[in-house]
């Protein structure tokens, strides 16, 4: 017991040193203003990586007979209740309250992985999208590929287009798809490296569902920017992100068929990159309306802590001890008519 305490202290000390003060000071100012009292408990989780948690998303294309019993032995249980508006039977995800990580599987060419480790909040945009078999689906900013994999655990799209503009991240996406998806399905998919802002012009009204998991200021990773100069640069560039996010969203709206819906998500707490972007798209695109996702939020309220006072078409997951999920912002919109 003493040894584990020592190791924990050592780990804490090591991780504590890596926190970037420039970023923390910036967040302190911004999020105290935006989140009020909720910020201090969120900050405690974000600055304490030893309390972070992961869920285990099983891969339906690679069944492993002993995996579920092995997860149960280690204290894992099914993550989402059956009361959700949308929870396909093939979608199986396991969680536990204790921090720590189930061992990751290495990429082996020609062999499918049995599960994907991810933050439980990352599953919410996929459940909000409600993909059905045969629908044409676009994942606009798809790397590293966890949400693309999760979509394919839910349904078999008629056509599935995964796009990633960044070259390095695009290679990561391709490897993820190769690791989790069998060839017959890969043949039904398109993986591209297009500028997401142009897809709406290139493929107008082509998709039933679009996921925009937008590039954002990733609060978790930014807090551990090792290089203070890089951190200062990131914080300066942060102001430009909302413009990019708006352009990506506008492109997604163009790419949607009338009657189709889109989900926008980020992994930041920043209001400028979340609610403000959605408000701007709603005021500038007359053919788009908000979709109520409060039913899903109620269904997962045992598993997640949400910021109160949000609109019915949006939610913001706040990390807290024992439920260290997020941050994750999710909003859902529907296209009601042609542009």
């Amino acid at each position: 017991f003493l040894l584990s305490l020592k190791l924990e202290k050592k780990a804490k000390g090591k991780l504590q040193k890596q926190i970037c003060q420039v970023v923390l000071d910036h967040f302190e100012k911004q999020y105290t203003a935006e989140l009020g009292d909720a910020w201090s408990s969120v900050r405690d989780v974000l600055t304490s990586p030893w309390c972070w948690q992961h869920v285990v998303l099983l891969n339906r294309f690679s069944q492993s007979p002993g995996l579920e019993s092995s997860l149960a032995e280690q204290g894992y249980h099914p993550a989402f209740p059956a009361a959700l508006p949308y929870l396909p039977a093939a979608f199986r995800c396991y969680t536990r309250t204790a921090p720590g990580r189930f061992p990751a599987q290495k990429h082996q060419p020609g062999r499918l992985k049995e599960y994907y480790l991810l933050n439980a909040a990352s599953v919410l945009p996929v459940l909000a999208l409600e993909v059905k078999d045969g629908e044409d689906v676009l994942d606009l900013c798809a790397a590293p590929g966890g949400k693309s994999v999760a979509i394919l655990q839910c349904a078999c799209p008629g056509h599935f287009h995964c796009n990633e503009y960044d070259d390095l991240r695009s290679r990561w996406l391709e490897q993820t798809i190769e690791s989790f998806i069998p060839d017959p399905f890969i043949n039904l998919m398109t993986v591209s490296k297009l500028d997401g802002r142009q897809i709406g012009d290139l493929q107008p009204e082509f998709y039933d569902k679009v996921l925009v998991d937008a590039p954002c200021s990733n609060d978790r990773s930014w807090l551990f920017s090792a290089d203070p100069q890089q951190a200062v640069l990131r914080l300066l560039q942060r102001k430009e992100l909302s413009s990019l996010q708006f352009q990506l969203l506008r492109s997604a709206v163009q790419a949607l068929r009338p009657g189709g819906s889109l989900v926008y998500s980020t992994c930041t707490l920043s209001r400028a990159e979340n609610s403000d972007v959605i408000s701007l798209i709603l005021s500038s695109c007359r053919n788009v309306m908000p979709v109520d996702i409060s039913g899903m939020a109620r269904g997962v309220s045992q598993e997640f802590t949400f910021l109160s006072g949000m609109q019915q078409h949006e939610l913001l997951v706040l990390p807290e001890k024992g439920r260290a999920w997020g941050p994750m912002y999710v909003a859902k919109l529907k296209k009601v008519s042609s542009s």
Side-chain angles (χ1 to χ4, degrees):
F1 173 73
L2 280 173
L3 179 66
S4 68
L5 259 183
K6 266 184 187 169
L7 286 171
E8 191 179 306
K9 272 188 175 170
K10 193 177 174 185
K12 282 187 181 181
K14 200 174 167 188
L15 290 159
Q16 205 68 40
K17 279 191 202 103
Q18 296 172 351
I19 290 169
C20 182
Q21 199 59 44
V22 181
V23 176
L24 186 56
D25 292 347
H26 182 90
F27 284 2
E28 195 72 49
K29 198 172 164 186
Q30 180 182 349
Y31 294 147
T32 301
E34 291 184 11
L35 304 176
D37 296 341
W39 166 241
S40 62
S41 58
V42 170
R43 180 191 56 214
D44 289 348
V45 173
L46 291 182
T47 55
S48 312
W50 58 91
C51 78
W52 294 1
Q53 296 159 274
H54 291 82
V55 290
V56 181
L57 175 64
L58 303 196
N59 184 11
R60 67 178 172 133
F61 303 113
S62 172
Q63 301 292 349
S64 170
L67 181 56
E68 286 176 87
S69 55
S70 169
L71 285 163
E73 280 164 24
Q74 294 188 46
Y76 284 86
H77 58 270
F80 296 102
L84 284 180
Y86 173 84
L87 191 71
F91 186 88
R92 288 173 305 149
C93 196
Y94 283 79
T95 185
R96 65 174 183 182
T97 47
R101 235 184 134 99
F102 201 68
Q105 292 181 310
K106 285 192 167 68
H107 173 71
Q108 292 177 290
R111 187 169 175 191
L112 294 181
K113 291 185 182 182
E114 294 157 1
Y115 54 86
Y116 193 103
L117 301 178
L118 74 172
N119 186 308
S122 297
V123 171
L124 296 181
V126 173
L127 296 180
L129 196 60
E130 300 190 25
V131 175
K132 311 279 194 304
D133 287 349
E135 289 182 325
D136 295 320
V137 181
L138 168 64
D139 189 350
L140 193 70
C141 315
K147 293 181 182 70
S148 301
V149 167
I151 285 169
L152 287 169
Q153 304 310 312
C154 295
C156 300
H159 179 70
F160 191 23
H161 181 177
C162 298
N163 181 69
E164 178 55 53
Y165 183 53
D166 182 89
D167 198 47
L168 189 67
R169 287 173 63 81
S170 178
R171 288 203 292 276
W172 191 2
L173 170 66
E174 284 175 1
Q175 189 180 73
T176 301
I177 289 168
E178 190 189 319
S179 291
F180 285 91
I181 312 303
D183 286 342
F185 275 86
I186 291 179
N187 297 339
L188 300 173
M189 294 170 69
T190 301
V191 181
S192 65
K193 290 196 277 193
L194 299 166
D195 183 336
R197 293 170 292 188
Q198 295 168 357
I199 286 181
D201 286 328
L202 295 170
Q203 296 180 307
E205 303 196 345
F206 191 83
Y207 297 99
D208 301 297
K209 301 280 166 72
V210 179
L211 175 62
V212 185
D213 186 43
C216 67
S217 49
N218 183 323
D219 294 351
R220 275 186 190 235
S221 68
W222 280 27
L223 271 169
F224 295 89
S225 305
D227 177 3
Q229 285 174 310
Q230 180 200 36
V232 170
L233 188 64
R234 276 179 166 174
L235 291 170
L236 285 170
Q237 290 170 336
R238 191 178 205 208
K239 296 187 179 90
E240 296 158 27
L241 278 167
S242 55
S243 169
L244 169 65
Q245 291 154 349
F246 173 74
Q247 289 166 18
L248 288 167
L249 255 180
R250 197 170 51 189
S251 173
V253 170
Q254 281 179 281
L256 266 182
R257 292 184 178 128
S261 52
L262 72 83
V263 167
Y264 173 78
S265 60
T266 74
C267 51
T268 180
L269 298 160
S270 174
R271 191 183 294 157
E273 298 176 52
N274 294 338
S275 301
D276 289 357
V277 174
I278 292 297
S279 298
L280 188 58
I281 208 86
L282 284 168
S283 63
S284 61
C285 296
R286 297 291 162 85
N287 58 340
V288 172
M289 60 181 285
V291 177
D292 186 348
I293 54 171
S294 59
M296 182 188 77
R298 277 194 303 276
V300 296
S301 59
Q302 294 296 308
E303 317 263 339
F304 298 96
T305 302
F306 297 114
L307 180 66
S308 58
M310 302 293 277
Q311 304 282 320
Q312 288 187 315
H313 61 273
E314 59 178 359
L315 56 86
L316 180 62
V317 178
L318 300 178
E320 66 170 34
K321 292 257 168 78
R323 298 194 286 190
W325 315 119
M328 179 63 61
Y329 175 80
V330 182
K332 188 170 183 177
L333 307 174
K334 183 175 183 172
K335 185 171 181 174
V336 288
S337 63
S338 293
S339 319

